[in-house]
Amino acid sequence: MAKFLIVGGVAGGATTAARLRRMDESAEIIMFERGEHISYANCGLPYYVGDVITERENLLLQTPESFKKRLNVDVRIKNEVVRIDRENKLVEINDLINNTSYTETFDKLIVSPGAEPIKPPIPGIKDQAIFTVRNVHDTDKIKTYINENKPKKAVVVGAGFIGLEMAENLHHLGMMVTIIEMAEQVMTPLDYEMAAVVHQHLKVKNVEFYLNDGVSQFKRETDHLEIQLQSGRKVDADMVILSIGVKPETKLIKDAGIELAPNGGIKVNEYLQTSDPNIYALGDAMAFPHPITGKYTNAYLAGPANKQARILANNLVLGHKQTYKGAIATAIAKVFDLTIGSTGLAEKVLKKEGISYVSNIIHSGSHSGYYPGAMPTTIKITFDPKTGKLYGAQIIGYLGVDKRIDLIATVLQKGGTIYDLQEIEHAYAPPYSSAKDPVNQAGFTAGNIIEGLVNIIHWDELLQSHAASNFILDVRTPEEFELGQIEDAVNIELDEIRNHLDEIPRDKKIIIYCGVGLRGYFAARILMQKGFTDVCNLSGGYKTYEHATC
Amino acid sequence: MAKFLIVGGVAGGATTAARLRRMDESAEIIMFERGEHISYANCGLPYYVGDVITERENLLLQTPESFKKRLNVDVRIKNEVVRIDRENKLVEINDLINNTSYTETFDKLIVSPGAEPIKPPIPGIKDQAIFTVRNVHDTDKIKTYINENKPKKAVVVGAGFIGLEMAENLHHLGMMVTIIEMAEQVMTPLDYEMAAVVHQHLKVKNVEFYLNDGVSQFKRETDHLEIQLQSGRKVDADMVILSIGVKPETKLIKDAGIELAPNGGIKVNEYLQTSDPNIYALGDAMAFPHPITGKYTNAYLAGPANKQARILANNLVLGHKQTYKGAIATAIAKVFDLTIGSTGLAEKVLKKEGISYVSNIIHSGSHSGYYPGAMPTTIKITFDPKTGKLYGAQIIGYLGVDKRIDLIATVLQKGGTIYDLQEIEHAYAPPYSSAKDPVNQAGFTAGNIIEGLVNIIHWDELLQSHAASNFILDVRTPEEFELGQIEDAVNIELDEIRNHLDEIPRDKKIIIYCGVGLRGYFAARILMQKGFTDVCNLSGGYKTYEHATC
Ligand SMILES: Cc1cc2nc3c(=O)[nH]c(=O)nc-3n(C[C@H](O)[C@H](O)[C@H](O)COP(=O)(O)OP(=O)(O)OC[C@H]3O[C@@H](n4cnc5c(N)ncnc54)[C@H](O)[C@@H]3O)c2cc1C
Ligand SMILES: Cc1cc2nc3c(=O)[nH]c(=O)nc-3n(C[C@H](O)[C@H](O)[C@H](O)COP(=O)(O)OP(=O)(O)OC[C@H]3O[C@@H](n4cnc5c(N)ncnc54)[C@H](O)[C@@H]3O)c2cc1C
Ligand SMILES: CC(C)(COP(=O)(O)OP(=O)(O)OC[C@H]1O[C@@H](n2cnc3c(N)ncnc32)[C@H](O)[C@@H]1OP(=O)(O)O)[C@@H](O)C(=O)NCCC(=O)NCCS
Ligand SMILES: CC(C)(COP(=O)(O)OP(=O)(O)OC[C@H]1O[C@@H](n2cnc3c(N)ncnc32)[C@H](O)[C@@H]1OP(=O)(O)O)[C@@H](O)C(=O)NCCC(=O)NCCS
């Protein structure tokens, strides 16, 4: 009878335990959790704070009792595993209820200890009105604080997915919310011009934010905190959420002399086995080579943790048969009315990694424009300039963002190309899509770039280019042109262009733009075939340019 | 300068013309359309009838004038191509405006003539209150009839996607709607137990339907039609929509001696070239080997027609470089509050084709149950019993059906397996999905079947099996059991099963069921590992059983 010990009782740990039991009814399975709860919905915590999820018990998918009853797993909450003795294959546990300590032997040890929120040593950071959000206990504290103190002004430090979810939920409770972010943008998985869409949305929602700025001190005043920023600015707050990132919980593993990856996560092989063959790791704490860069990365996502758990349990019972292939970091967040999805590598990461790439942005409708309710959707993809191999995608919109990021992720995960996007046979009826889905269109436009049918220029390249040697051609209608245009642009509407070729200089670089890129592409095709040699189309059109530069 | 003639000015034709122009600015392109409109949204027609789409002009994506202006294509509406002279590479055209006829030569001829609604020679079928829905003209007639006659009772004959869309839209206008369908179910791409969900929904919506019945006569009474059914039943109607299917428009091609496929569509090779190398075909009229069965099939879908058009135009300009790979018939329809998606081959088709397969049904939520608004979703997949290669999927639900059918279609299209479904790294946050998406779950459950971790039984097999040799075990709670159960079932709740093994006979086949299949699977795992040799779990649980048998 095999004996499995599991450290951590949530996404990775509990799911491993569940599958282990289904695979092996007779194994001895003990799951240790230092906290009070197991199997809770971490991802639901912000919504519980915001009263969107109203029942606390809905967050607790399983209890130690239900886990025992259904899965016959020995669950020990408030039991912290504090030491691994590899030689004797045992662990030492602190029983936090009885303040005792004991040991348990194992055949195989599985660690899924997760990650902990980063709390830098900023003066004042220990103030009782400053919170992090990782587990049910954290949100209990936040809810109690809100109920007792009725805070009116909240500051969220760090504008990643969790920070923005918290901002939305505190705003939903009626607070005035201010976000402080060190980077030049919110949501690091996005490139700047995509994040710019989120910036605009936050403004519309009256959420204040300061970018390129960090906290230098939290100063306690009688009834509030004064937050001093590195820029010298001061912001008052009744409560603060710290969401500047997490770091993997690796102490236990490190102390046992088990190898860590260069990035600090727990290094595992394709069977999720650590450098000790009897010890396996998964979830947020675990690092695995990224499928594109090959560099060890932690996923910090519930989907991968759950899937790793099943692979791991299979391999523990059946032997090493199923390999884990790594996560491409497919993520999504609702930020007020927007949905923001991303997968794979953003442009800025590709740049940093020195991987040659092309990126392109399109704007489409969530479904056929003739059927009511279609909403704008912006898709940016990055891909190999020669083979078209997909590197990443970012999507922002209101409807159907989830389905499109999933589709692209599925292709990307298999090493697919932009040609695969072209061929996707999606389900089309007017309420759901168009005959050519935006994902197909992303593939078509990328194909046109690779095949030299069109050259593109990006908003930032245009900003940096020398006006004198360019002829900037706006092919929108005169009415659109009137409402706002790029400096020095000349307006010749697409439908008139064939009759006005002689008004376009042949000795300059022609930079064409339209509303979103489509008419510009059509115009570029005409000019290129009419002998203009240096023609390019503004990727994402005026819409992206405006977002990024305003 | 190449000269391209195109027959048909809608999905296949107009899209080919558009891409041709972008690829070749100097080609001569003439597009013939016998009707009055080009580039119209066929798929929007039912919604225009139902006043969901309120502006008729929104249906007309392009006009001959706009097409000329933007794409410099010579569009000739009310011009019917009536004969192809292959030897002289010319076509004869009837100009329906001037009642004249003329010819035009071509380098390459592209035909996308579509399909026409089937109108069997039923007595009375020519009545002016009987309509088909294929083009804008048809809907104009329907709208005029409705406005002038204020019909109260509508009968829809034929319950495919278009029939049901029309039923919904006429119902939306306030009519009492009756559906008549020859088959035992609505929506032939679905298997019976899936269609049964739609049947229930139609009942809830007060739409009357008669299955297994056909029309024998339409009898005109003074102010209405009496529809006599083959069963002897009579149904009155103020108007009738005939939607019993379409047949490809192949006369032109057949008369020219060009080869048709066994199924009657226009046979093409992977470059969409007919048996005449100068003539190409696409769209509804065209037949291509099905990627799974290898049999020539017509797609009758706008997505494939649009994508074929782009491939075809590329090959006409660049030479035969890009191959078409066939359609797997990914389709979707909104039927009142339900969304119904399907892709690949249904169980009944696999049976007919003699392809060995397994099918399985799961019920999940559209997103995490703890986040408000999650809706039930039913997924049926079919796959190879050994390799797990995916054959088909059917999904019914309220939210996220489109994304999940797209995901499965994308895997299926690439020849993928149920293991690929397991691995999909979808985007997860509580409003959009679960840490394990239902599509992952469909893969997990299928994997468990293939790997012998569980045997399943289907509702129809259970119905046909011999009660005496079975022990039917209901593992739901006593409360659920009380509300309704399968005949002769014994109730032992899952969480109690380990303590009641001696109440379960070892000499009988144990048929386990629960609500949806999940607890049944858990119970099956316990029994199988406790030495019970003949154990199976009811696929889709009591929910599917109830749907299919009620
Ligand atoms: C607020 C929030 C929102 C999120 N939203 C999303 C989302 O929308 N989508 C998404 O994909 N992901 C989301 N995540 C991330 C997701 O929850 C994690 O990726 C996932 O839970 C990781 O699983 P894990 O098992 O590695 O760690 P956890 O689920 O954190 O579990 C680790 C457990 O181990 C316990 N533990 C640690 N050390 C020991 C020890 N020595 N002894 C005993 N117990 C120990 C900890 O107490 C903890 O309970 C969110 C996370 C948070 C905090
Ligand atoms: C009511 C309705 C709803 C639909 N809903 C959906 C849906 O939701 N999703 C989906 O994917 N598909 C849907 N479809 C199917 C989709 O519209 C077709 O698959 C698609 O239009 C096929 O394109 P095609 O070019 O082959 O034919 P069509 O778009 O029908 O175009 C063919 C054109 O050729 C013309 N023509 C024929 N012969 C000649 C000739 N000899 N000379 C000149 N002109 C000629 C015809 O007049 C016709 O206008 C729907 C169809 C209908 C009718
Ligand atoms: C609650 C928890 C223990 C459940 O683990 P689980 O039992 O593996 O997961 P599920 O409830 O999704 O069930 C999946 C199992 O049911 C099976 N299943 C699902 N639907 C089924 C159906 N209709 N019929 C038969 N089997 C079905 C699956 O095949 C799978 O079994 P397998 O892994 O043996 O193949 C675990 O997910 C957990 O702790 N979650 C909370 C923590 C967390 O993930 N947090 C981050 C996200 S908020
Ligand atoms: C209207 C119609 C002629 C348009 O054809 P089209 O121009 O090929 O199609 P779209 O308008 O979708 O434009 C697609 C083109 O724009 C390009 N494009 C799309 N978005 C872009 C963007 N943001 N930037 C640059 N290019 C873009 C695509 O790459 C593609 O060009 P390509 O094929 O040369 O690569 C044709 O679709 C039609 O007649 N439709 C109605 C009939 C029909 O389909 N009915 C059934 C469905 S209801």
Side-chain angles (χ1 to χ4, degrees), chain B residues 344-363:
Chain B
L345 304 180
E347 176 168 10
K348 59 185 163 192
V349 178
L350 290 162
K351 239 179 215 155
K352 217 175 75 189
E353 296 287 331
I355 298 174
S356 86
Y357 71 92
V358 177
S359 77
N360 190 42
I361 292 181
I362 65 162
H363 304 278

PDB file of all heavy atoms in Angstrom, chain B residues 344-363:
ATOM      1  N   GLY B 344     -18.174  17.981 -36.553  1.00  0.00           N
ATOM      2  CA  GLY B 344     -17.771  16.608 -36.847  1.00  0.00           C
ATOM      3  C   GLY B 344     -18.952  15.676 -36.974  1.00  0.00           C
ATOM      4  O   GLY B 344     -20.036  16.083 -37.382  1.00  0.00           O
ATOM      5  N   LEU B 345     -18.748  14.411 -36.589  1.00  0.00           N
ATOM      6  CA  LEU B 345     -19.757  13.390 -36.834  1.00  0.00           C
ATOM      7  C   LEU B 345     -20.497  13.001 -35.557  1.00  0.00           C
ATOM      8  O   LEU B 345     -19.889  12.695 -34.535  1.00  0.00           O
ATOM      9  CB  LEU B 345     -19.105  12.142 -37.422  1.00  0.00           C
ATOM     10  CG  LEU B 345     -18.292  12.349 -38.711  1.00  0.00           C
ATOM     11  CD1 LEU B 345     -17.705  11.016 -39.178  1.00  0.00           C
ATOM     12  CD2 LEU B 345     -19.134  12.969 -39.822  1.00  0.00           C
ATOM     13  N   ALA B 346     -21.814  12.981 -35.672  1.00  0.00           N
ATOM     14  CA  ALA B 346     -22.660  12.527 -34.569  1.00  0.00           C
ATOM     15  C   ALA B 346     -22.575  11.014 -34.464  1.00  0.00           C
ATOM     16  O   ALA B 346     -22.137  10.327 -35.396  1.00  0.00           O
ATOM     17  CB  ALA B 346     -24.096  12.960 -34.801  1.00  0.00           C
ATOM     18  N   GLU B 347     -23.010  10.502 -33.335  1.00  0.00           N
ATOM     19  CA  GLU B 347     -23.031   9.059 -33.112  1.00  0.00           C
ATOM     20  C   GLU B 347     -23.778   8.328 -34.226  1.00  0.00           C
ATOM     21  O   GLU B 347     -23.305   7.330 -34.763  1.00  0.00           O
ATOM     22  CB  GLU B 347     -23.699   8.792 -31.758  1.00  0.00           C
ATOM     23  CG  GLU B 347     -23.860   7.325 -31.452  1.00  0.00           C
ATOM     24  CD  GLU B 347     -24.247   7.062 -29.995  1.00  0.00           C
ATOM     25  OE1 GLU B 347     -24.574   8.015 -29.266  1.00  0.00           O
ATOM     26  OE2 GLU B 347     -24.223   5.876 -29.614  1.00  0.00           O
ATOM     27  N   LYS B 348     -24.933   8.850 -34.601  1.00  0.00           N
ATOM     28  CA  LYS B 348     -25.742   8.116 -35.594  1.00  0.00           C
ATOM     29  C   LYS B 348     -25.042   8.028 -36.944  1.00  0.00           C
ATOM     30  O   LYS B 348     -25.205   7.049 -37.669  1.00  0.00           O
ATOM     31  CB  LYS B 348     -27.128   8.750 -35.727  1.00  0.00           C
ATOM     32  CG  LYS B 348     -27.127  10.191 -36.153  1.00  0.00           C
ATOM     33  CD  LYS B 348     -28.552  10.750 -36.123  1.00  0.00           C
ATOM     34  CE  LYS B 348     -28.497  12.268 -36.143  1.00  0.00           C
ATOM     35  NZ  LYS B 348     -29.778  12.875 -35.833  1.00  0.00           N
ATOM     36  N   VAL B 349     -24.246   9.044 -37.271  1.00  0.00           N
ATOM     37  CA  VAL B 349     -23.514   9.012 -38.536  1.00  0.00           C
ATOM     38  C   VAL B 349     -22.393   7.981 -38.451  1.00  0.00           C
ATOM     39  O   VAL B 349     -22.166   7.195 -39.378  1.00  0.00           O
ATOM     40  CB  VAL B 349     -22.943  10.408 -38.869  1.00  0.00           C
ATOM     41  CG1 VAL B 349     -22.136  10.359 -40.162  1.00  0.00           C
ATOM     42  CG2 VAL B 349     -24.057  11.442 -38.944  1.00  0.00           C
ATOM     43  N   LEU B 350     -21.704   7.963 -37.333  1.00  0.00           N
ATOM     44  CA  LEU B 350     -20.620   6.990 -37.147  1.00  0.00           C
ATOM     45  C   LEU B 350     -21.154   5.571 -37.258  1.00  0.00           C
ATOM     46  O   LEU B 350     -20.532   4.696 -37.862  1.00  0.00           O
ATOM     47  CB  LEU B 350     -19.955   7.216 -35.781  1.00  0.00           C
ATOM     48  CG  LEU B 350     -19.137   8.510 -35.689  1.00  0.00           C
ATOM     49  CD1 LEU B 350     -18.890   8.906 -34.241  1.00  0.00           C
ATOM     50  CD2 LEU B 350     -17.806   8.368 -36.431  1.00  0.00           C
ATOM     51  N   LYS B 351     -22.328   5.361 -36.664  1.00  0.00           N
ATOM     52  CA  LYS B 351     -22.986   4.054 -36.742  1.00  0.00           C
ATOM     53  C   LYS B 351     -23.237   3.688 -38.200  1.00  0.00           C
ATOM     54  O   LYS B 351     -22.901   2.597 -38.657  1.00  0.00           O
ATOM     55  CB  LYS B 351     -24.327   4.121 -36.005  1.00  0.00           C
ATOM     56  CG  LYS B 351     -24.453   3.133 -34.873  1.00  0.00           C
ATOM     57  CD  LYS B 351     -25.793   3.278 -34.189  1.00  0.00           C
ATOM     58  CE  LYS B 351     -25.643   3.018 -32.702  1.00  0.00           C
ATOM     59  NZ  LYS B 351     -26.664   3.657 -31.903  1.00  0.00           N
ATOM     60  N   LYS B 352     -23.841   4.601 -38.912  1.00  0.00           N
ATOM     61  CA  LYS B 352     -24.191   4.375 -40.318  1.00  0.00           C
ATOM     62  C   LYS B 352     -22.950   4.113 -41.166  1.00  0.00           C
ATOM     63  O   LYS B 352     -22.964   3.286 -42.072  1.00  0.00           O
ATOM     64  CB  LYS B 352     -24.940   5.596 -40.862  1.00  0.00           C
ATOM     65  CG  LYS B 352     -26.051   5.245 -41.824  1.00  0.00           C
ATOM     66  CD  LYS B 352     -26.842   6.474 -42.256  1.00  0.00           C
ATOM     67  CE  LYS B 352     -26.093   7.326 -43.245  1.00  0.00           C
ATOM     68  NZ  LYS B 352     -26.747   8.614 -43.520  1.00  0.00           N
ATOM     69  N   GLU B 353     -21.879   4.836 -40.845  1.00  0.00           N
ATOM     70  CA  GLU B 353     -20.652   4.704 -41.632  1.00  0.00           C
ATOM     71  C   GLU B 353     -19.837   3.486 -41.208  1.00  0.00           C
ATOM     72  O   GLU B 353     -18.798   3.207 -41.805  1.00  0.00           O
ATOM     73  CB  GLU B 353     -19.784   5.960 -41.471  1.00  0.00           C
ATOM     74  CG  GLU B 353     -20.396   7.239 -42.013  1.00  0.00           C
ATOM     75  CD  GLU B 353     -20.408   7.270 -43.537  1.00  0.00           C
ATOM     76  OE1 GLU B 353     -19.519   6.641 -44.148  1.00  0.00           O
ATOM     77  OE2 GLU B 353     -21.324   7.888 -44.109  1.00  0.00           O
ATOM     78  N   GLY B 354     -20.282   2.816 -40.164  1.00  0.00           N
ATOM     79  CA  GLY B 354     -19.541   1.645 -39.697  1.00  0.00           C
ATOM     80  C   GLY B 354     -18.184   1.977 -39.086  1.00  0.00           C
ATOM     81  O   GLY B 354     -17.262   1.170 -39.118  1.00  0.00           O
ATOM     82  N   ILE B 355     -18.070   3.190 -38.551  1.00  0.00           N
ATOM     83  CA  ILE B 355     -16.818   3.588 -37.891  1.00  0.00           C
ATOM     84  C   ILE B 355     -16.945   3.249 -36.406  1.00  0.00           C
ATOM     85  O   ILE B 355     -17.918   3.639 -35.773  1.00  0.00           O
ATOM     86  CB  ILE B 355     -16.575   5.100 -38.064  1.00  0.00           C
ATOM     87  CG1 ILE B 355     -16.433   5.454 -39.558  1.00  0.00           C
ATOM     88  CG2 ILE B 355     -15.330   5.552 -37.286  1.00  0.00           C
ATOM     89  CD1 ILE B 355     -16.329   6.938 -39.854  1.00  0.00           C
ATOM     90  N   SER B 356     -15.981   2.511 -35.856  1.00  0.00           N
ATOM     91  CA  SER B 356     -16.134   2.164 -34.443  1.00  0.00           C
ATOM     92  C   SER B 356     -15.805   3.373 -33.586  1.00  0.00           C
ATOM     93  O   SER B 356     -14.873   4.123 -33.865  1.00  0.00           O
ATOM     94  CB  SER B 356     -15.286   0.952 -34.090  1.00  0.00           C
ATOM     95  OG  SER B 356     -13.990   1.338 -33.755  1.00  0.00           O
ATOM     96  N   TYR B 357     -16.583   3.572 -32.557  1.00  0.00           N
ATOM     97  CA  TYR B 357     -16.503   4.820 -31.790  1.00  0.00           C
ATOM     98  C   TYR B 357     -16.978   4.567 -30.373  1.00  0.00           C
ATOM     99  O   TYR B 357     -17.598   3.547 -30.079  1.00  0.00           O
ATOM    100  CB  TYR B 357     -17.420   5.890 -32.431  1.00  0.00           C
ATOM    101  CG  TYR B 357     -18.873   5.547 -32.218  1.00  0.00           C
ATOM    102  CD1 TYR B 357     -19.568   6.042 -31.099  1.00  0.00           C
ATOM    103  CD2 TYR B 357     -19.536   4.656 -33.069  1.00  0.00           C
ATOM    104  CE1 TYR B 357     -20.874   5.668 -30.868  1.00  0.00           C
ATOM    105  CE2 TYR B 357     -20.845   4.293 -32.837  1.00  0.00           C
ATOM    106  CZ  TYR B 357     -21.512   4.792 -31.737  1.00  0.00           C
ATOM    107  OH  TYR B 357     -22.815   4.419 -31.501  1.00  0.00           O
ATOM    108  N   VAL B 358     -16.690   5.526 -29.508  1.00  0.00           N
ATOM    109  CA  VAL B 358     -17.322   5.616 -28.192  1.00  0.00           C
ATOM    110  C   VAL B 358     -17.937   7.002 -28.116  1.00  0.00           C
ATOM    111  O   VAL B 358     -17.402   7.950 -28.694  1.00  0.00           O
ATOM    112  CB  VAL B 358     -16.294   5.466 -27.056  1.00  0.00           C
ATOM    113  CG1 VAL B 358     -16.951   5.637 -25.692  1.00  0.00           C
ATOM    114  CG2 VAL B 358     -15.594   4.129 -27.141  1.00  0.00           C
ATOM    115  N   SER B 359     -19.061   7.114 -27.427  1.00  0.00           N
ATOM    116  CA  SER B 359     -19.586   8.449 -27.188  1.00  0.00           C
ATOM    117  C   SER B 359     -19.773   8.626 -25.695  1.00  0.00           C
ATOM    118  O   SER B 359     -19.931   7.655 -24.954  1.00  0.00           O
ATOM    119  CB  SER B 359     -20.920   8.651 -27.905  1.00  0.00           C
ATOM    120  OG  SER B 359     -21.953   8.002 -27.199  1.00  0.00           O
ATOM    121  N   ASN B 360     -19.713   9.861 -25.254  1.00  0.00           N
ATOM    122  CA  ASN B 360     -19.945  10.129 -23.841  1.00  0.00           C
ATOM    123  C   ASN B 360     -20.553  11.515 -23.662  1.00  0.00           C
ATOM    124  O   ASN B 360     -20.285  12.429 -24.430  1.00  0.00           O
ATOM    125  CB  ASN B 360     -18.630  10.027 -23.048  1.00  0.00           C
ATOM    126  CG  ASN B 360     -18.877  10.058 -21.550  1.00  0.00           C
ATOM    127  OD1 ASN B 360     -19.819   9.416 -21.061  1.00  0.00           O
ATOM    128  ND2 ASN B 360     -18.068  10.810 -20.819  1.00  0.00           N
ATOM    129  N   ILE B 361     -21.369  11.621 -22.630  1.00  0.00           N
ATOM    130  CA  ILE B 361     -22.048  12.884 -22.345  1.00  0.00           C
ATOM    131  C   ILE B 361     -21.643  13.374 -20.963  1.00  0.00           C
ATOM    132  O   ILE B 361     -21.623  12.591 -20.008  1.00  0.00           O
ATOM    133  CB  ILE B 361     -23.573  12.687 -22.381  1.00  0.00           C
ATOM    134  CG1 ILE B 361     -24.023  12.385 -23.814  1.00  0.00           C
ATOM    135  CG2 ILE B 361     -24.303  13.925 -21.841  1.00  0.00           C
ATOM    136  CD1 ILE B 361     -25.515  12.185 -23.971  1.00  0.00           C
ATOM    137  N   ILE B 362     -21.323  14.668 -20.863  1.00  0.00           N
ATOM    138  CA  ILE B 362     -21.128  15.256 -19.529  1.00  0.00           C
ATOM    139  C   ILE B 362     -21.985  16.509 -19.392  1.00  0.00           C
ATOM    140  O   ILE B 362     -22.369  17.128 -20.386  1.00  0.00           O
ATOM    141  CB  ILE B 362     -19.652  15.624 -19.235  1.00  0.00           C
ATOM    142  CG1 ILE B 362     -19.162  16.729 -20.172  1.00  0.00           C
ATOM    143  CG2 ILE B 362     -18.748  14.412 -19.315  1.00  0.00           C
ATOM    144  CD1 ILE B 362     -17.916  17.437 -19.675  1.00  0.00           C
ATOM    145  N   HIS B 363     -22.297  16.839 -18.180  1.00  0.00           N
ATOM    146  CA  HIS B 363     -23.009  18.079 -17.874  1.00  0.00           C
ATOM    147  C   HIS B 363     -22.106  18.905 -16.955  1.00  0.00           C
ATOM    148  O   HIS B 363     -21.643  18.386 -15.934  1.00  0.00           O
ATOM    149  CB  HIS B 363     -24.327  17.797 -17.151  1.00  0.00           C
ATOM    150  CG  HIS B 363     -25.222  16.868 -17.900  1.00  0.00           C
ATOM    151  ND1 HIS B 363     -26.031  17.291 -18.925  1.00  0.00           N
ATOM    152  CD2 HIS B 363     -25.435  15.533 -17.783  1.00  0.00           C
ATOM    153  CE1 HIS B 363     -26.720  16.255 -19.398  1.00  0.00           C
ATOM    154  NE2 HIS B 363     -26.370  15.169 -18.720  1.00  0.00           N
TER     155      HIS B 363
END
